[in-house]
Amino acid sequence: MSIAVIIGLGNPGAEYVRTRHNLGFWLVDALAREAGVQFRTESRFQAEVGKAVIEDRQVWLVKPLTFMNDSGQSVGQFLHFHKLASNAMAVVHDDITLPLGRIKVTVRGSAGGHNGIASLLAHAGTDFARVKLGIGGKPHAEMNLADHVLSRLTPDEEAALTARLPDFLKGLRLLVAEGPDAAMNVLNQTKP
């Protein structure tokens, strides 16, 4: 499987910038900065789109602007237009089952309660790589899950993620260069 597009999941708008649910946008933005890529809004895809050269390969970077729960519509349109199969994409998203700062790569599987992934499965296919960034579980059981994922990161949490950013970017480059299996073998063994 060769990765031709990396999708970052998140919600558009300044009010969501530093929230847990926007880690997909955060990491794809960092990858774009590293590659010197400027995003442009593509209304036909309802997304911000850029093209990068990563590990000597051309890779699309895409951030759907449809809000998290409808991101599959945007991504499905993008894949259809560019005649790409779902196995040509990697999707970067937050994951409450992983501790903050942990990264894990998987291929296929269920949505696991993540509405953005459920939308992708419904509209864009099932055989894509998932780059899961841990945000940790709810701090207390009675907290509403939406409140947790939409909450802002604390300064300590932001610092911990920023410290891990070089590892995350290295992982995305490995995913592009060698594919999901190689990325899984390296990243899934790494603890924060």
Side-chain angles (χ1 to χ4, degrees), residues 49-98:
V49 176
K51 197 159 195 181
V53 176
I54 301 170
E55 300 298 315
D56 297 322
R57 297 170 191 230
Q58 296 252 338
V59 179
W60 290 101
L61 304 179
V62 178
K63 298 187 313 179
L65 298 176
T66 53
F67 287 90
M68 178 73 75
N69 295 353
D70 294 323
S71 54
Q73 294 172 12
S74 168
V75 173
Q77 291 168 356
F78 182 88
L79 293 178
H80 179 76
F81 180 85
H82 290 285
K83 296 176 178 43
L84 294 168
S86 63
N87 68 359
M89 76 173 166
V91 178
V92 182
H93 65 92
D94 60 297
D95 190 301
I96 63 167
T97 67
L98 297 173

Side-chain angles (χ1 to χ4, degrees), residues 12-154:
E15 65 270 32
Y16 298 107
V17 168
R18 290 187 143 75
T19 63
R20 299 167 197 285
H21 221 22
N22 270 39
L23 284 186
F25 276 11
W26 173 77
L27 185 52
V28 169
D29 282 339
L31 184 63
R33 279 192 306 276
E34 181 182 77
V37 171
Q38 295 288 324
F39 285 99
R40 67 185 180 288
T41 301
E42 291 275 353
S43 58
R44 65 183 161 190
F45 306 129
Q46 301 174 72
E48 290 185 357
V49 176
K51 197 159 195 181
V53 176
I54 301 170
E55 300 298 315
D56 297 322
R57 297 170 191 230
Q58 296 252 338
V59 179
W60 290 101
L61 304 179
V62 178
K63 298 187 313 179
L65 298 176
T66 53
F67 287 90
M68 178 73 75
N69 295 353
D70 294 323
S71 54
Q73 294 172 12
S74 168
V75 173
Q77 291 168 356
F78 182 88
L79 293 178
H80 179 76
F81 180 85
H82 290 285
K83 296 176 178 43
L84 294 168
S86 63
N87 68 359
M89 76 173 166
V91 178
V92 182
H93 65 92
D94 60 297
D95 190 301
I96 63 167
T97 67
L98 297 173
L100 183 83
R102 177 88 188 270
I103 187 171
K104 183 176 182 180
V105 177
T106 63
V107 179
R108 291 180 283 286
S110 72
H114 194 290
N115 291 332
I117 296 297
S119 180
L120 287 167
L121 291 169
H123 297 283
T126 60
D127 294 330
F128 53 91
R130 300 151 194 221
V131 179
K132 302 175 180 188
L133 298 176
I135 63 169
K138 300 184 297 186
H140 42 83
E142 61 275 359
M143 183 179 199
N144 179 293
L145 182 59
D147 290 340
H148 174 60
V149 300
L150 294 174
S151 68
R152 293 197 180 274
L153 296 160
T154 68

